[in-house]
Every structure is written in structure tokens, then in C-alpha cells.
Amino acid sequence: MMVEEVKAIEFVNVVLYTFSILVALTLLFGCIMDRSRSRPFMKFFMALLSVDIVSMFGEMGLWLFHEPALVPLAKISALVAFGGGTVLNALYAYCLVAFIRERTKISWKYAHVFTVICAIYLILVIISLFNGMLFDFDEKGFYLDGPLYWIVRVIDTVTWLMCIGLVIFHRKVLTLKGMFSLLSFSILPLLSMGLLFIWDATPLSLATTLSLIILYSLFHGELTRQLAEQEIQLAQQKQQITEQRIATMISQIQPHFIYNTLGSIYQLCLLQPKQAAELTQNFALYLRGNFSELDNSKPVRLSQELEHVKYYLNIEKIRFPDMEVQFDLQSDEFFLPALTIQPLVENAIKHGLMGLESGGTVVISTYETDDSYCVKVQDNGVGFDESVFQDGKKHIGIQNIRGRLEAMCNGTLTVESQPNQGTTAIITIPKEVMT
């Protein structure tokens, strides 16, 4: 082969490898800019792209360093090219398993098997630097296949076939596009091996680059679809929270409560005008607190919620003067959804204390544990059978509180009661939500 032809081939291959490197860099930049890059399969894919870039620099070096004095650089290029190729296969196995794990149960052991095979291969590559069994260089510095070079192709073929088998075995949890995209990383290099005898390793690298483009298209499309589904789910959740707020507001302003309060105001106007004015003010503030919840989509400070509770209690104490309410606030620096404590206090009075012949106590306490803030509403009223929550009926008030607690601050509500012993309701809000 003439010198001009050799240089032409070198130029073509170096240009193609440069193009592949630029493509891989573009894909890597796209992954870095993606909001979902923290997903396990995306992390492995980004690592895979990084190793592919390094590996192609090694392949490029084999075409550039063919002077006797540059043999050490050529050997380093061979180590990078061969070693990078085997690391590439191991990383793809982890990327593949991570992608499938989001759809079904699959053990990491499959990827670990790839790692063992690739580790053995990498050891052989390092040994070849000294004995030339997989690759060597002639006296002019040109690359030569070693006597055991066939091992390289056998290991590559085995790992590719293993990946193909893994994809086909889990085809039921993959879309048709997903299955063929995942198969491309193995099938395209296998198809390109027929050109190795006339064009060395370049077709193999180009096949890998093409498969990386296909995989990026799959992963980006998958992440876009999932983000769209999450946005739809978030919109539905926000609508549900709004509906729950409206339902809670309406449930807290029942006609009989308004009638009773207005009746009390009427009676006080005749006998105790000053108390009537105070009751009217508390009733107005109570109503404002309920109506303002329609526009409030964020948690409020505990002090704001307790202020609303006190407006409600000031109204009820007119009707039930022998009722006692105690506050034990050991923690107050946290937030919770509006209209969560007040409905529980109302339940304690209406369904607990009103069943007593007289008196009764409601204790509102707050405290914190190592990982949560807690609000407890406890009464010594008549209590009830807890099976009432298992009767199949919709207990809207409790359900709404639970729904808003979970949606707005990942909180929970537990209610425990025993007949003739009282009821205890506990709100628990994780501290991690507050940070």
C-alpha cells in the first residue's frame, strides 16, 4: 500500500473518530442538562458516554502514533482503546439492568457477571502490553493483531449476546421501541464485525456511536414522557387539594352552626351587648379564616392555625361555658395545612364532650420527636368505637385532613378512641419537609 493511501486512510479514520467523539460529547452535554440525570440508568449512561469518548481517543491514537519512537504512546492508546471497550460493555450492562429495574424486579447480579468477564479481559489487555498476545507493534510502530487476538472478539461477542438475551427475556416490560433501542448496542456492533477485515475497527466504533444516539433518543423520550405524567399527576393532585380545601371549608360552616351562633349573638344583644360584640368579632374572624383557605395552597404557621382554633373556641364557649380547653405547646416552629387542628377540636367538642352530662376537657398539645413535629388533640368525652372508620362510609372531614396532610407536607393523621374514655387525634409532620 502506497504512503499516500495509508495517509488517506489515516485521515478518514481520524476524522470519523473525531466525529464520533463530538457526537458523544453532545449526548453527554444533553444528559448533564437533563433534569432527570440523577436516575440510576442515566448515571450509568453518562458514565458510558464518558468512557466511550476516552476509548475513541485511544482508537485515534492507534492511527496517529506509528513511528518507532512513538510505540510507548501507541501502547497506551491500545490500552485505552481495548480497556475502554471492555469497561463500556460492563457499564452498559449496569445501564440496562437499571433501566429494566424501573419496570420489574431484576437482580444486579447479571451486571456483576459482566463486570467479572470484563475484569478478566482487562487483565489480559494489560498483560498484552508486555507479551503482545492480544496486540503488538512492528518495527515501524504500526499496530498488529496478536496471536490470541481472537479472544477479544469472542469476549465481545459473548457479552453482546448476553445483553441481547437479557433484553429479550424482559421484553414483556418493554415497549417495542424500547426493546429494539436496547438491542441496538449489541446488534449493531455484531453486524459491523463483518467489515472488520476490510476496514479494521472503525465500523465497530461507528456502530457503537449510532447505538448511543438511539439509546439517548430512548432515554430522553422516556424521561420526557415520565415528566409529562408527573406534571399531569401534580395538576390532578393540586386540583384534589383545592377540592378538599373547599369541602373542608364547607363542612366547617354547617347551617346549624351558623344558626346557633347567630342565635347566641341575638340573645347576647338583648342582655350583654359587649359580649355580643366580642362574639360577632370572633364569628367574623372565624368565617374569614375559613374563606381564606380557598386561596391558600401552602401550609401555614402553627400560630396562625391556633389563632383560628381560638376564634372557634370563643364561639363555642358561649354555648358550653363549663367546657375546659387546655394548651400544652412544647414546639411551635413548624408549618401545617390550614384547617387541620380546628376540625379535630370541633369533633372533640361535638362528638366527645357534648355527649357528657356536663363539663369535659380538650387538651391541645404540640411536641417534637427526633424526626417529626406532632400535634395532639385529646378529649375525655364519650369516645366511639374505632370500627366506625371501617364501615365503608366516607368520613369526609377526616379523609380531607389526611389527604391534605399527605399531599402538602407528607404528614399523617391517626385517630384512636374508646367508648367512655375519650378520643385522641395525632398529626405527625416529618421534619425533612420543613427544611
Side-chain angles (χ1 to χ4, degrees):
M1 187 177 293
M2 298 180 64
V3 175
E4 291 78 7
E5 293 178 345
V6 172
K7 289 185 176 180
I9 293 174
E10 288 177 359
F11 177 77
V12 170
N13 283 285
V14 169
V15 168
L16 289 174
Y17 281 121
T18 302
F19 171 75
S20 296
I21 290 172
L22 291 175
V23 169
L25 281 170
T26 303
L27 297 179
L28 181 60
F29 179 76
C31 292
I32 292 173
M33 297 302 293
D34 199 302
R35 288 184 297 171
S36 302
R37 62 183 179 273
S38 60
R39 301 279 284 279
F41 71 86
M42 284 298 290
K43 287 183 177 179
F44 286 119
F45 185 64
M46 291 169 63
L48 190 150
L49 288 170
S50 302
V51 172
D52 181 62
I53 292 168
V54 174
S55 176
M56 284 188 287
F57 273 115
E59 294 282 1
M60 190 187 301
L62 293 177
W63 289 98
L64 294 175
F65 305 133
H66 48 71
E67 300 275 341
L70 299 178
V71 169
L73 289 177
K75 286 188 174 183
I76 293 174
S77 297
L79 175 63
V80 171
F82 282 82
T86 188
V87 173
L88 204 67
N89 289 334
L91 284 172
Y92 179 68
Y94 281 100
C95 181
L96 177 59
V97 171
F99 187 78
I100 295 174
R101 277 173 68 92
E102 293 198 357
R103 290 151 181 79
T104 187
K105 290 183 179 180
I106 178 174
S107 173
W108 287 108
K109 68 180 179 181
Y110 297 103
H112 298 337
V113 171
F114 280 86
T115 302
V116 172
I117 295 174
C118 293
I120 295 173
Y121 174 55
L122 186 59
I123 292 173
L124 296 178
V125 170
I126 295 173
I127 294 174
S128 295
L129 290 173
F130 305 98
N131 63 10
M133 64 179 181
L134 299 183
F135 56 83
D136 205 352
F137 298 88
D138 61 18
E139 65 279 0
K140 295 182 179 180
F142 284 95
Y143 169 86
L144 297 172
D145 289 339
L148 299 180
Y149 177 78
W150 58 270
I151 294 177
V152 175
R153 296 305 165 211
V154 169
I155 293 178
D156 283 342
T157 303
V158 168
T159 53
W160 291 333
L161 291 175
M162 288 173 65
C163 285
I164 291 172
L166 196 59
V167 172
I168 293 176
F169 183 79
H170 293 93
R171 64 187 181 279
K172 292 184 178 179
V173 299
L174 301 170
T175 63
L176 190 63
K177 176 185 176 181
M179 185 177 70
F180 283 110
S181 297
L182 294 172
L183 287 173
S184 69
F185 189 85
S186 303
I187 290 180
L188 290 180
L190 277 173
L191 295 176
S192 71
M193 289 182 69
L195 299 174
L196 294 178
F197 300 102
I198 58 175
W199 197 4
D200 201 37
T202 304
L204 187 60
S205 298
L206 293 177
T208 301
T209 299
L210 178 58
S211 69
L212 291 176
I213 295 174
I214 295 173
L215 286 172
Y216 178 81
S217 176
L218 169 68
F219 294 159
H220 181 71
E222 180 72 12
L223 293 172
T224 301
R225 181 188 63 80
Q226 291 180 0
L227 284 174
E229 290 179 353
Q230 289 175 2
E231 289 177 357
I232 293 173
Q233 185 178 5
L234 182 61
Q236 292 174 342
Q237 190 179 63
K238 290 177 67 176
Q239 181 180 359
Q240 183 180 12
I241 292 174
T242 300
E243 292 174 352
Q244 288 175 338
R245 292 204 311 269
I246 294 172
T248 300
M249 185 273 293
I250 294 174
S251 69
Q252 296 309 113
I253 311 179
Q254 296 293 342
H256 67 82
F257 177 73
I258 297 176
Y259 299 152
N260 291 335
T261 304
L262 292 175
S264 298
I265 293 173
Y266 174 75
Q267 294 293 331
L268 289 173
C269 284
L270 298 176
L271 303 174
Q272 297 174 296
K274 185 177 180 180
Q275 282 191 319
E278 292 176 356
L279 180 56
T280 302
Q281 183 182 29
N282 280 292
F283 187 49
L285 293 171
Y286 170 79
L287 291 177
R288 186 175 69 179
N290 278 275
F291 283 115
S292 65
E293 170 61 6
L294 291 173
D295 300 320
N296 187 13
S297 59
K298 296 181 179 180
V300 299
R301 286 186 175 277
L302 173 69
S303 57
Q304 183 176 336
E305 174 67 4
L306 290 179
E307 188 176 19
H308 185 70
V309 171
K310 290 175 182 178
Y311 295 146
Y312 168 75
L313 290 173
N314 289 337
I315 296 171
E316 292 288 38
K317 283 181 179 179
I318 299 297
R319 298 175 57 210
F320 309 105
D322 57 348
M323 172 185 67
E324 183 180 357
V325 179
Q326 299 176 0
F327 289 88
D328 180 18
L329 307 180
Q330 300 179 24
S331 179
D332 57 4
E333 294 298 323
F334 61 93
F335 293 76
L336 75 171
L339 296 183
T340 49
I341 300 178
Q342 187 268 326
L344 297 178
V345 174
E346 184 171 348
N347 284 341
I349 294 172
K350 290 186 175 181
H351 304 297
L353 304 191
M354 286 181 64
L356 300 174
E357 293 183 3
S358 63
T361 302
V362 177
V363 179
I364 303 169
S365 57
T366 63
Y367 57 94
E368 60 182 288
T369 63
D370 291 339
D371 55 5
S372 302
Y373 294 104
C374 301
V375 180
K376 181 165 66 174
V377 178
Q378 187 175 21
D379 68 76
N380 60 353
V382 296
F384 59 86
D385 188 346
E386 291 185 27
S387 62
V388 69
F389 290 106
Q390 304 170 3
D391 58 6
K393 297 180 181 179
K394 292 184 177 180
H395 302 277
I396 297 175
I398 296 298
Q399 284 186 347
N400 282 349
I401 295 173
R402 282 181 172 147
R404 290 185 298 123
L405 278 168
E406 181 179 0
M408 296 175 70
C409 52
N410 200 28
T412 60
L413 168 64
T414 60
V415 180
E416 298 180 355
S417 183
Q418 292 185 2
N420 302 317
Q421 294 188 25
T423 302
T424 300
I426 299 178
I427 294 171
T428 303
I429 301 174
K431 287 184 176 179
E432 61 185 21
V433 179
M434 300 290 107
T435 58

